[in-house]
Amino acid sequence: MSALVGYSVEGSVARLTLDSPENRNALSTALVDQLHQGLTDATTDGGVRAVVLGHTGGTFCAGADLAQASGGDPADIDVERARELTRLLRRILELPIPVIGAIDGHVRAGGLGLVGACDIAVAGQASTFALTEARIGVAPSIISLALLPKMTARAAGRYFLTGEKFGAAEAADIGLITVATDDVEATVAALGAEIGKASPQGLAASKALTTAPLLAAFDRDAEALTRQSAELFVSEEAREGMMAFLQKRPPNWAT
């Protein structure tokens, strides 16, 4: 299997780098599996105090791998496939080590779920974000668990529905990211250095305080939202929306 996620350790910081630029770091099964392995590697390294989740190429993450999702029999895109994303977001939230998102590019759809699950998210000023699910006949069902507690209600009501792009400054204003910066690497390095001063126990307990409400929502709603996501993805509207996206044409409902 080709390496889709890079792993390295620099001092007390483990770096996980999404490295599948040919499909804009889309969340294929292979990429998700390798992310899980990287998170496992970070937790078993006793010297790691923080994980930085970054990327190669101009896109941090484009969301679901639509080429994978639209191929073959719809029965192949079942609840188990949807659970891959649910498990990944929960894994980031449950990790006893803080996760810093280092975003210096574009984020779309399910990629925003990764941003929402990170404890701290840093984005470059040229980064853009968009929740484009409704445009292809689906919804940000699973990732809403990580996004709705962090985004303002008005912003969620707008961007969940319109699918329009917004920039890093707006993302910071509405709570999606922690800080918009002209220098992502320097800002991430400074945050990593501050986190490196903390003890493993202190970090784990402090992070757990901030993630407890999100994990409670996962316990309550994740299964229903995962099933909803799976059902939407195999619908006729979603099939048309995904094919239209891949063929670079408007879907049949577009006005």
Side-chain angles (χ1 to χ4, degrees):
M1 182 184 298
S2 60
L4 304 178
V5 178
Y7 180 82
S8 63
V9 177
E10 302 169 9
S12 63
V13 175
R15 288 187 170 267
L16 293 179
T17 304
L18 306 181
D19 191 17
S20 183
E22 66 280 355
N23 70 346
R24 302 192 303 157
N25 294 319
L27 295 168
S28 64
T29 297
L31 185 141
V32 170
D33 287 346
Q34 291 182 33
L35 263 178
H36 276 291
Q37 185 58 54
L39 294 170
T40 297
D41 292 342
T43 56
T44 55
D45 186 330
V48 170
R49 295 291 179 270
V51 173
V52 172
L53 179 58
H55 63 102
T56 62
T59 298
F60 173 75
C61 180
D65 187 345
L66 295 186
Q68 179 181 356
S70 63
D73 191 296
D76 293 334
I77 312 158
D78 57 8
V79 176
E80 190 54 38
R81 275 283 310 280
R83 286 190 179 118
E84 292 176 2
L85 178 57
T86 307
R87 284 193 290 261
L88 178 60
L89 298 184
R90 182 162 196 142
R91 181 77 187 284
I92 294 170
L93 291 168
E94 289 181 324
L95 205 74
I97 302 169
V99 179
I100 304 172
I103 302 137
D104 205 3
H106 309 302
V107 192
R108 298 290 181 269
L112 274 77
L114 294 181
V115 177
C118 289
D119 301 288
I120 301 171
V122 177
Q125 297 287 2
S127 300
T128 66
F129 305 80
L131 288 153
T132 53
E133 286 89 344
R135 295 188 179 188
I136 63 165
V138 296
S141 306
I142 296 167
I143 66 172
S144 70
L145 291 163
L147 293 178
L148 291 179
K150 297 190 176 182
M151 296 174 68
T152 67
R154 283 298 186 191
R158 174 178 178 174
Y159 294 121
F160 272 46
L161 303 180
T162 65
E164 64 191 301
K165 291 190 297 184
F166 55 95
E170 172 74 355
D173 287 344
I174 66 176
L176 174 63
I177 66 170
T178 311
V179 61
T181 179
D182 292 323
D183 192 332
V184 173
E185 280 302 308
T187 302
V188 168
L191 288 165
E194 294 299 321
I195 290 171
K197 299 173 184 177
S199 78
Q201 175 178 277
L203 286 174
S206 297
K207 172 172 176 171
L209 293 172
T210 68
T211 57
L214 284 81
L215 291 170
F218 268 76
D219 291 338
R220 184 183 65 243
D221 301 325
E223 183 60 20
L225 290 171
T226 299
R227 289 186 175 277
Q228 179 191 71
S229 179
E231 290 167 2
L232 288 171
F233 262 91
V234 299
S235 67
E236 288 301 316
E237 279 193 21
R239 177 59 63 98
E240 163 62 15
M242 287 187 282
M243 292 307 298
F245 175 83
L246 294 170
Q247 294 168 3
K248 299 182 179 180
R249 60 172 174 81
N252 59 20
W253 60 76
T255 57

